[in-house]
Amino acid sequence: MIVGLSSRGCPAQSTPGSHLAASGTINCTDCPRRYAPEEVPSTTLRLLRTLTSPATVVGRFLDVLARNPPAGVLLGEFTRLPQTERNLLGLLLHPETGQACPDRAATVVELTGMLRTQIAADPGHPRAVQLVGELAVRSDEFATLWARHDVEETTRGRMRVDHPLVGELNLDWDAYPIPGAPGPVLITYTAEPGGPDDERLQLLAGLLDAPGTTSAATRHP
């Protein structure tokens, strides 16, 4: 999993995805509360800067909120998108992503189940309403998967990436909840020490100061 893309705005009832909002799972009219934006604690940002392996902070609905320099090199062009478009599931729903992520289809299934689990806990959240409506309109693949009502509480897995600079990478990823209210998680990507994937990760790390690569850890690149 290259662990999306979306634009802002709660879908209107007349949009093709409005049947999802009307199904009882998500309802645009059920948003009376004020929702504060997801924030990455300053201590977590500090921790990101100390990690030598790629690491990201991902929000409840799979938005990438922050990442460290190694993750910037790993994710490449994704980090140059506007902040509002950095959503892991949205990214993988683009067909061309399959060239860089051979396991794209399976990862989409996994992420869709993870998204549904989060939305079930707070179905009226405006970001949830907006994101599901957008993805359903844009992707028949997502709409089909969403209709299956699968849930997933995955906290670790495998990620296979065909990186344009260092070749194939097979990485383990683990998600760690950030202390506090339910929300963002810290995701780290590692490889078995001494193996070929670890060597390729080290090659990526060596590219941090190369022209055209991302070299600053930040909350809003």
Side-chain angles (χ1 to χ4, degrees), residues 38 57-61 65 118 176-178 180-186:
E38 290 185 298
V57 176
V58 176
R60 293 176 61 191
F61 308 117
L65 307 177
Q118 290 299 321
Y176 302 93
I178 293 174
V185 297
L186 174 68

Side-chain angles (χ1 to χ4, degrees), residues 80-153:
R80 296 179 175 86
L81 293 171
Q83 182 71 28
T84 56
E85 297 181 8
R86 294 177 206 159
N87 180 276
L88 299 181
L89 183 54
L91 170 69
L92 287 165
L93 286 169
H94 282 268
E96 61 269 24
T97 304
Q99 300 175 11
C101 186
D103 300 327
R104 186 202 67 83
T107 304
V108 165
V109 172
E110 181 180 73
L111 291 180
T112 301
M114 293 169 66
L115 179 63
R116 181 173 280 284
T117 299
Q118 290 299 321
I119 288 178
D122 193 359
H125 195 293
R127 174 56 176 157
V129 174
Q130 169 239 339
L131 180 61
V132 172
E134 287 175 355
L135 295 181
V137 169
R138 199 183 81 198
S139 169
D140 291 339
E141 179 184 14
F142 173 80
T144 299
L145 291 172
W146 191 255
R148 286 167 32 177
H149 294 271
D150 293 341
V151 294
E152 189 99 30
E153 293 191 52

Side-chain angles (χ1 to χ4, degrees), residues 27 74 81 161 177:
N27 193 326
L74 178 64
L81 293 171
V161 179

